Amino acid sequence: MQAAMRKPSSKEYLDLVKAIGECKSKTEEDGLMLREIEILKERFADTKRIDPKKMKEYLLRLVYIEMLGHDASFGYIHAVKMCNESNLVLKKVGYMTTTLFLDEGHELLILIVNTLQQDLKSDNHLIVCSALNAICKLTNADTIPQLLQSVVDQLSHPKELVRKKAILALHFFNQRAPSVVAPHLPRFRQMLCDKDPSVMGAALCALHDILALDPQPHRNLVPSFVNILKQVVEHRLPKTYDYHKCPAPFIQLKILKILALLGSSDKACSENMYAVLTDMLRRGENNQIGNAILYEGVKTISSIYPNPRLLEQAAEITARFMKSSNHNLKYCGIGALASIVRINAKYAVGHQMAVIDCLEDPDDSLRSKTMQLLYKMTKPGNIEVIVERMIQYLKAATDPLTKADTVSKVIELAERYAPTNQWFISTVNEVIEFAGELVTDSIAQNLMRLVAEGAGDEDEHADNELRVSAVTSYLALLSKPKLPEVLLRIVSWVLGEYGLLSPTSSAAELVKALVDVSKRPGVGVALKGTVLSAITKIVAHSRIALPGEALELVKQAANSRSISLQQHAHELQGLTQSSAETLAVALPPDSSSEKIEVDEGLSFLDGFVQEALANGAKPFVPLEDRPLVGAKKIGRVNSGITAEHLPSAAASSTSGSSMQRSSSFGKRWGPGSNSIPEQTAPSARSGLSEQPAGRSEKEQFAASLFGDVNGSSPSSVPPAAPAPVPVPALVPEPVAEPPAPSPVDLLMDLSDPVPTPAAPAEHNPLDVFSQLEGLSMDASVPLPAAPASQPAGNDPFDLNSLYTSTAPAPPQVGITSMAGAPPTDMMGMGMAPMQGQPMPQMGMQPQMGMQPQMGMQPQMGMQPQMGMQPQMGMQPQMGMQPQMGMQPQMGMQMGMGAMPGVGGNVGMAPMQGMGMPGMGLQNPGMPPQMMGMPPQSAAAPPAPKVEEKPDPFKDLLG
């Protein structure tokens, strides 16, 4: 095998590799690959003359073609064939190229399953290893059951390399089909006791993924993992597993991650880990791989049940990372600090200056990691300082993902810890101004709802101050030349609702400002509609005449292609000409946050309903309680939807009840349960202004984040002022709501108007053919009367009664039954429905190319149409003249070229006045009994003479 591997490749292969490296452009490379494809296609034309070793070289050339972006699918089958070679080198090349060419869903995979099964049973462990490697690339959920038992058997192989690869293959199976591998999951626990460390390490990887889903059933494995980690830390493993003097570092890392999962919120399991974790931290090496183990150990200590001694050791390791000049160690230090700060914030006090330095570091990844740390450290006492730093970071960020993450964190912190409503509004406005494209509509709705509902403590004076402040800030904001559209919609809505509260601007000035907003470049339809609504409210409440610019805007909107803009324009024109009483009802002031009471039962219609019932109207019956429609309606044309097909008014009113406004939204803002303690109130309200003199700006910022530099926490600072009056809570208070909560009513629809599709018309589900009835007939032709034996009334119509053998059947027009056909005729179709009635059997379909023969009398001497069945019981010979007056069956035509008595397919055409049969062709030669219908009588009366009518299909007959 080694001699085969050392054999030099051919000159063609070497020239190809050299030419690829010398290509100076993509065009030159593509031309080279296209020539190579043509050469290989020519060589593959006669594979019998190709030596297997030469085929190996061709497959490697195919790999280059595939890697450079060209299609090499013409050679995939040769790679699959090479997997069957007995030579180990060729087999490995076949498996390698197959795994590179094919994916889990390729159609050629089915050809390789048998090869894998045979190779797994081989006595050569190298062949078994090759098959196990290929299994992890070439199997899917459908082929796993065929290979599972063979892989499980390899867990007992004498070679440790095979056992290791078998565990990896079983792990792959568990990821693809967990339900199939579930009975074999205990084998992973057994392999932890394997005498070879590599096999045990492979089992650790599989167990980590299993524990991540549900660690509870596996907590009894904690002593085993602790024992393994102890042996590794004490250098009991062979020296071959050491890396930079660190014993089996990757096994240590995997066990630490497993212990973090098992010890979470479990004191008993965590106590078993304390000793080995302490020993591991003490023996940690001061190199790159040693620092990786120490970092993972700190994360494990912060995940399990806390231990003060271990936390102190973790804090020391974190301090060493933070003081390092290496950016990688600083990054790890920030992550470790974020882990232990969740348990106790005092461990971050000693690193406050290092954290501030990381905020100003030019490394983007380090700044981003520090922002995540600040996010986890935020509390009511430092919310203003941290949000200010986050907004500065947002302004300087260029990565869209980083900006989106920062925006979401700033908004979340502002909603959770906002000290005042004014601060929340200004913060959100600043975020929207610099990252408006990343702000969702829900954030804008929350901001408008806060302005509308105020603090939620029934203090109207404070609410008006909040609205006046918002109006003033938004009027000043309009002076900026470029603003996001989301912010402009918020501004327009606030000015329309509360613009008249402004002490500095008149109604005419507000209208002019709104008109200027509509003239900004890139303004969409939604923003123009918001502007028109705002102008309507201002004009209605102030009773001023529209300025000329506003009239021009209304005129443009009235002539716009947008239905929404036209509606806004006509509403504005109509309301400006209405009386004060109408305006007071249509547009009451400050009514955006009022709760809408919806009468779901529509009780105001009770009088009308009682009057209608007294006059003889039928009571409403729900659709699910209505009886089936009788047979009299079958075949009739449904002229429209009657009142009984319409949904009830009570049901339709449910959608209206969903638009209710919540009056408790404003209670989300304000400290509330997270109110600022007396000790932290000065720093929360005044920021950095009240820090002691003599400190640098960086030290003051650090003190705002962590407390005093000397080590005291913010909670230890003596109160400098009386405790402020608590502001209403950020967290929503429980409010009694109806049993079925309704969605929140949007104050302003920020999306483009979408027309509501009309409900589809309902029709009788039994009358499936009535829609097509009459398409091929004269409407003046009367429908045949019902049989005399049919009972009167509304009883359901029994269609099978037409085909019983006990009563004489009515005249048949169309298809003769199997029972009435001659013995040699194998083309009987069974039954035919009555003329003017729809096909009773769903699932029969006419043959292509058939035309109905409606009401035609054959002339004397006329040859019968090819495939036409004469009267029941008669078998015409080819060329036989039918007797005078013989009535051929109408609508019956054989398949093209079929002869009577040969057993060909029988074509079938719809009858006059009959709807098209349903889809799904039944077997034409099937007897009626097999079709679920009673057989017809052997003798049927002759068909009545039908008045000849113009045949609309006559010109289409072949």
Side-chain angles (χ1 to χ4, degrees):
M1 184 184 71
Q2 295 179 355
M5 296 290 291
R6 290 194 299 266
K7 184 176 181 179
S9 302
S10 66
K11 187 176 183 300
E12 289 183 355
Y13 178 75
L14 297 177
D15 290 343
L16 173 65
V17 176
K18 182 180 178 181
I20 292 174
E22 293 177 351
C23 289
K24 298 180 180 179
S25 64
K26 180 62 177 174
T27 304
E28 185 179 352
E29 181 186 276
D30 291 343
L32 176 64
M33 288 296 100
L34 291 176
R35 291 193 298 271
E36 185 66 20
I37 289 173
E38 295 298 328
I39 293 173
L40 292 179
K41 284 184 177 180
E42 183 179 352
R43 303 282 175 87
F44 287 154
D46 189 5
T47 56
K48 295 182 179 180
R49 299 182 180 180
I50 301 178
D51 183 71
K53 297 181 180 179
K54 198 69 175 176
M55 178 64 74
K56 177 191 72 173
E57 179 184 312
Y58 292 160
L59 292 179
L60 296 179
R61 290 159 71 173
L62 278 177
V63 171
Y64 278 98
I65 294 174
E66 191 83 6
M67 284 192 304
L68 296 177
H70 295 269
D71 183 23
S73 58
F74 62 91
Y76 290 175
I77 187 62
H78 301 290
V80 174
K81 291 179 179 179
M82 185 162 283
C83 296
N84 293 318
E85 294 289 339
S86 58
N87 184 279
L88 179 59
V89 176
L90 298 179
K91 182 178 289 290
K92 282 193 170 185
V93 172
Y95 277 135
M96 182 196 70
T97 53
T98 303
T99 55
L100 292 176
F101 292 152
L102 307 183
D103 55 17
E104 297 180 4
H106 201 278
E107 57 186 4
L108 293 179
L109 284 184
I110 194 65
L111 302 178
I112 206 171
V113 174
N114 188 41
T115 304
L116 291 172
Q117 290 177 334
Q118 294 177 358
D119 289 345
L120 288 175
K121 299 176 182 178
S122 175
D123 297 333
N124 189 341
H125 74 280
L126 296 177
I127 293 179
V128 176
C129 290
S130 300
L132 290 173
N133 288 336
I135 279 176
C136 298
K137 300 289 185 181
L138 299 177
T139 53
N140 51 32
D142 297 330
T143 57
I144 285 176
Q146 285 75 30
L147 299 170
L148 178 59
Q149 189 58 46
S150 300
V151 172
V152 173
D153 294 340
Q154 302 305 319
L155 296 176
S156 304
H157 199 278
K159 288 290 184 179
E160 62 276 0
L161 181 61
V162 176
R163 297 199 301 272
K164 173 186 174 181
K165 292 184 179 296
I167 290 177
L168 297 177
L170 192 60
H171 183 198
F172 172 79
F173 286 174
N174 187 49
Q175 292 174 337
R176 292 293 186 272
S179 59
V180 178
V181 188
H184 303 280
L185 290 182
R187 298 301 299 268
F188 291 122
R189 300 165 64 105
Q190 297 175 8
M191 302 311 290
L192 278 178
C193 304
D194 195 282
K195 60 183 179 180
D196 188 85
S198 64
V199 180
M200 181 264 298
L204 287 176
C205 296
L207 285 172
H208 176 265
D209 290 353
I210 296 173
L211 290 172
L213 298 177
D214 186 14
Q216 185 62 35
H218 307 278
R219 295 193 188 275
N220 56 353
L221 288 177
V222 171
S224 301
F225 291 123
V226 169
N227 188 24
I228 294 172
L229 182 59
K230 183 178 180 180
Q231 296 183 42
V232 172
V233 170
E234 293 177 355
H235 291 266
R236 296 186 187 180
L237 267 64
K239 290 290 185 182
T240 54
Y241 291 94
D242 288 0
Y243 179 79
H244 288 270
K245 299 182 181 180
C246 184
F250 302 105
I251 292 180
Q252 290 191 56
L253 292 173
K254 189 62 68 175
I255 292 179
L256 287 173
K257 292 180 179 179
I258 292 175
L259 292 179
L261 294 172
L262 293 175
S264 177
S265 304
D266 193 314
K267 185 177 181 180
C269 292
S270 301
E271 289 176 349
N272 294 332
M273 309 174 190
Y274 291 158
V276 69
L277 290 176
T278 303
D279 192 21
M280 184 208 65
L281 296 179
R282 183 177 56 84
R283 294 172 179 263
E285 297 290 338
N286 190 14
N287 53 24
Q288 189 171 2
I289 189 65
N291 291 328
I293 294 176
L294 292 176
Y295 173 68
E296 194 63 42
V298 172
K299 292 179 63 178
T300 302
I301 291 170
S302 61
S303 299
I304 65 177
Y305 193 86
N307 177 267
R309 184 178 176 183
L310 284 176
L311 288 174
E312 291 294 340
Q313 288 182 291
E316 293 176 3
I317 295 172
T318 303
R320 195 180 78 187
F321 288 164
M322 296 294 297
K323 295 176 182 178
S324 175
S325 58
N326 189 339
H327 277 194
N328 293 331
L329 289 183
K330 280 189 176 181
Y331 188 90
C332 293
I334 293 293
L337 189 61
S339 300
I340 62 176
V341 158
R342 294 180 304 174
I343 302 175
N344 196 334
K346 72 176 185 179
Y347 298 110
V349 175
H351 312 295
Q352 51 190 357
M353 300 306 300
V355 172
I356 301 304
D357 291 338
C358 292
L359 281 175
E360 301 173 355
D361 196 278
D363 190 350
D364 290 338
S365 60
L366 188 57
R367 291 202 309 270
S368 176
K369 193 73 172 179
T370 308
M371 283 296 166
Q372 297 179 14
L373 173 62
L374 294 181
Y375 170 75
K376 296 179 180 179
M377 293 171 52
T378 305
K379 52 188 176 182
N382 56 13
I383 175 65
E384 296 182 60
V385 179
I386 291 180
V387 167
E388 181 182 356
R389 283 285 177 164
M390 282 187 164
I391 292 178
Q392 291 179 6
Y393 177 71
L394 176 64
K395 295 178 182 178
T398 56
D399 182 44
L401 296 178
T402 303
K403 294 177 68 175
D405 183 62
T406 306
V407 166
S408 63
K409 289 180 177 178
V410 170
I411 297 298
E412 180 183 350
L413 293 177
E415 291 184 349
R416 187 185 302 174
Y417 300 116
T420 62
N421 291 332
Q422 287 83 353
W423 180 89
F424 176 82
I425 292 175
S426 61
T427 300
V428 175
N429 288 340
E430 192 172 3
V431 171
I432 296 176
E433 181 179 355
F434 291 101
E437 69 280 1
L438 302 175
V439 175
T440 60
D441 290 345
S442 61
I443 296 175
Q445 294 287 348
N446 291 345
L447 180 59
M448 292 186 292
R449 191 174 298 279
L450 173 63
V451 175
E453 299 183 352
D457 54 359
E458 304 299 335
D459 189 353
E460 190 65 27
H461 179 71
D463 294 346
N464 285 335
E465 287 185 355
L466 173 65
R467 294 159 184 164
V468 170
S469 174
V471 169
T472 305
S473 61
Y474 285 146
L475 286 174
L477 198 62
L478 289 178
S479 60
K480 296 185 177 181
K482 187 176 181 181
L483 293 174
E485 185 170 347
V486 176
L487 184 57
L488 289 175
R489 279 185 277 179
I490 296 174
V491 170
S492 301
W493 183 86
V494 172
L495 294 182
E497 290 287 341
Y498 306 106
L500 296 178
L501 298 177
S502 172
T504 58
S505 301
S506 62
E509 293 174 345
L510 293 174
V511 172
K512 185 178 183 305
L514 290 171
V515 172
D516 293 339
V517 169
S518 66
K519 293 181 179 180
R520 287 177 177 253
V523 172
V525 174
L527 178 55
K528 287 185 178 180
T530 307
V531 168
L532 287 172
S533 296
I535 293 176
T536 304
K537 296 173 185 176
I538 293 175
V539 173
H541 295 160
S542 62
R543 306 299 295 172
I544 64 170
L546 281 176
E549 296 179 351
L551 289 174
E552 184 64 25
L553 175 63
V554 174
K555 182 179 179 181
Q556 294 176 1
N559 298 325
S560 173
R561 294 183 178 181
S562 173
I563 303 300
S564 176
L565 287 182
Q566 293 181 20
Q567 178 180 351
H568 284 299
H570 290 302
E571 287 176 354
L572 175 57
Q573 293 173 350
L575 289 174
T576 52
Q577 300 173 3
S578 302
S579 62
E581 293 78 8
T582 303
L583 292 175
V585 175
L587 295 173
D590 192 16
S591 59
S592 58
S593 59
E594 290 184 0
K595 186 176 181 180
I596 301 177
E597 299 293 339
V598 178
D599 185 6
E600 299 184 5
L602 301 179
S603 58
F604 58 90
L605 293 176
D606 291 345
F608 174 80
V609 172
Q610 295 299 329
E611 181 181 355
L613 292 174
N615 294 333
K618 294 183 179 180
F620 174 76
V621 179
L623 288 175
E624 59 272 12
D625 298 336
R626 298 174 187 173
L628 296 177
V629 181
K632 289 185 176 181
K633 290 186 178 180
I634 298 179
R636 304 287 178 176
V637 179
N638 189 3
S639 59
I641 303 175
T642 60
E644 64 179 6
H645 294 99
L646 296 176
S648 62
S652 63
S653 66
T654 306
S655 60
S657 65
S658 64
M659 305 299 289
Q660 296 185 357
R661 300 186 176 119
S662 173
S663 61
S664 61
F665 182 86
K667 297 181 181 180
R668 297 178 57 187
W669 284 270
S673 59
N674 295 320
S675 59
I676 303 167
E678 294 182 8
Q679 293 87 342
T680 60
S683 60
R685 293 290 184 264
S686 57
L688 301 176
S689 59
E690 296 186 12
Q691 296 295 335
R695 293 186 179 183
S696 63
E697 180 181 355
K698 185 180 296 187
E699 292 176 344
Q700 295 177 5
F701 176 59
S704 300
L705 288 176
F706 306 96
D708 194 81
V709 182
N710 297 329
S712 61
S713 62
S715 59
S716 63
V717 179
V725 178
V727 187
L730 272 169
V731 183
E733 298 178 357
V735 179
E737 296 183 355
S742 303
V744 179
D745 181 22
L746 302 182
L747 297 179
M748 181 186 71
D749 188 3
L750 298 179
S751 60
D752 293 337
V754 180
T756 303
E762 300 182 8
H763 58 82
N764 186 357
L766 296 179
D767 195 5
V768 293
F769 305 117
S770 61
Q771 304 276 343
L772 302 176
E773 184 180 347
L775 295 180
S776 61
M777 63 176 283
D778 190 355
S780 61
V781 178
L783 294 175
S789 60
Q790 178 179 346
N794 294 329
D795 296 335
F797 185 65
D798 186 7
L799 293 176
N800 290 331
S801 62
L802 296 175
Y803 311 107
T804 56
S805 57
T806 58
Q812 299 289 325
V813 182
I815 310 172
T816 58
S817 67
M818 188 76 173
T824 58
D825 182 13
M826 302 299 300
M827 297 171 287
M829 282 296 294
M831 291 75 60
M834 298 297 297
Q835 184 176 5
Q837 299 291 337
M839 293 289 292
Q841 285 297 323
M842 306 288 297
M844 291 196 295
Q845 184 171 332
Q847 297 284 341
M848 296 179 59
M850 296 180 303
Q851 310 296 333
Q853 305 294 322
M854 308 300 297
M856 295 180 60
Q857 295 281 352
Q859 301 294 331
M860 239 186 113
M862 173 179 130
Q863 290 284 347
Q865 294 244 354
M866 198 63 176
M868 177 175 293
Q869 179 68 34
Q871 270 190 327
M872 299 176 62
M874 296 182 61
Q875 177 64 37
Q877 301 295 329
M878 289 302 298
M880 169 184 170
Q881 298 286 342
Q883 293 185 3
M884 182 174 178
M886 183 177 70
Q887 174 65 37
Q889 294 290 327
M890 290 185 288
M892 184 71 188
Q893 187 174 354
M894 295 183 187
M896 297 181 62
M899 302 293 293
V902 182
N905 292 330
V906 177
M908 192 168 58
M911 300 298 103
Q912 183 177 7
M914 186 194 317
M916 295 295 293
M919 301 300 294
L921 180 64
Q922 299 285 353
N923 188 359
M926 184 180 297
Q929 295 85 347
M930 298 183 64
M931 299 174 67
M933 296 178 294
Q936 280 242 353
S937 61
K945 182 177 179 180
V946 181
E947 181 182 359
E948 182 175 357
K949 292 289 182 180
D951 184 8
F953 299 96
K954 183 176 181 181
D955 295 336
L956 301 178
L957 292 176

